[in-house]
Amino acid sequence: QVQLKESGGGSVQTGGSLRLACATSHHSTQTRCMAWFRQPPEKAREGVATRTPSNKQIQYADSVKGRFTVSQDHAKSTMYLQMENLKPEDTGVYYCAAASSSWPCEFKSDYIYWGQGTQVTVSS
């Protein structure tokens, strides 16, 4: 069983920055697909960024490319999401997720472990 816990959410103004952290309970997340998702108000959960362990590539949603960056601190078993130049449309609950294995990593259905989420609110 993998446990995930997000932190770092908050309220910022347009153009502001936040760094989310996802603390994991198991070092095996280094060899699993890991991802950040978000759920805007009254909308479906959507992918923000996914990390494929085999090639360490990170895929970003078009809406966040150039503004969001995923990083990992393996010593702390923690994954981060650095968010810059935030926009009101970035508002939502952000979730960290881990898949059952190292592939596939592309779809929400690939992920079976989820954190409780952290709220990000961007005001104009």
Side-chain angles (χ1 to χ4, degrees):
Q1 185 75 10
V2 177
Q3 294 182 328
L4 308 171
K5 184 173 177 59
E6 304 92 341
S7 61
S11 297
V12 297
Q13 293 188 325
T14 297
S17 301
L18 284 172
R19 188 176 79 156
L20 306 183
C22 172
T24 66
S25 65
H26 202 285
H27 68 274
S28 70
T29 51
Q30 296 179 30
T31 57
R32 298 173 185 262
C33 304
M34 295 291 296
W36 286 98
F37 289 81
R38 68 185 180 188
Q39 188 161 12
E42 300 181 1
K43 293 186 178 180
R45 196 170 297 187
E46 61 187 24
V48 174
T50 60
R51 178 185 178 276
T52 302
S54 60
N55 56 15
K56 297 182 173 56
Q57 286 192 351
I58 300 172
Q59 301 293 326
Y60 295 94
D62 288 343
S63 58
V64 306
K65 279 181 182 177
R67 300 188 299 121
F68 289 14
T69 304
V70 171
S71 62
Q72 287 188 295
D73 185 333
H74 294 308
K76 295 181 179 179
S77 297
T78 300
M79 181 172 69
Y80 299 96
L81 181 67
Q82 180 69 41
M83 305 186 294
E84 306 283 351
N85 190 22
L86 283 161
K87 305 175 181 181
E89 51 264 43
D90 295 318
T91 293
V93 179
Y94 282 69
Y95 297 90
C96 173
S100 59
S101 65
S102 62
W103 184 88
C105 305
E106 184 176 359
F107 301 106
K108 186 168 60 178
S109 58
D110 297 328
Y111 296 86
I112 61 172
Y113 301 107
W114 295 83
Q116 85 289 349
T118 185
Q119 176 70 45
V120 171
T121 302
V122 185
S123 58
S124 58

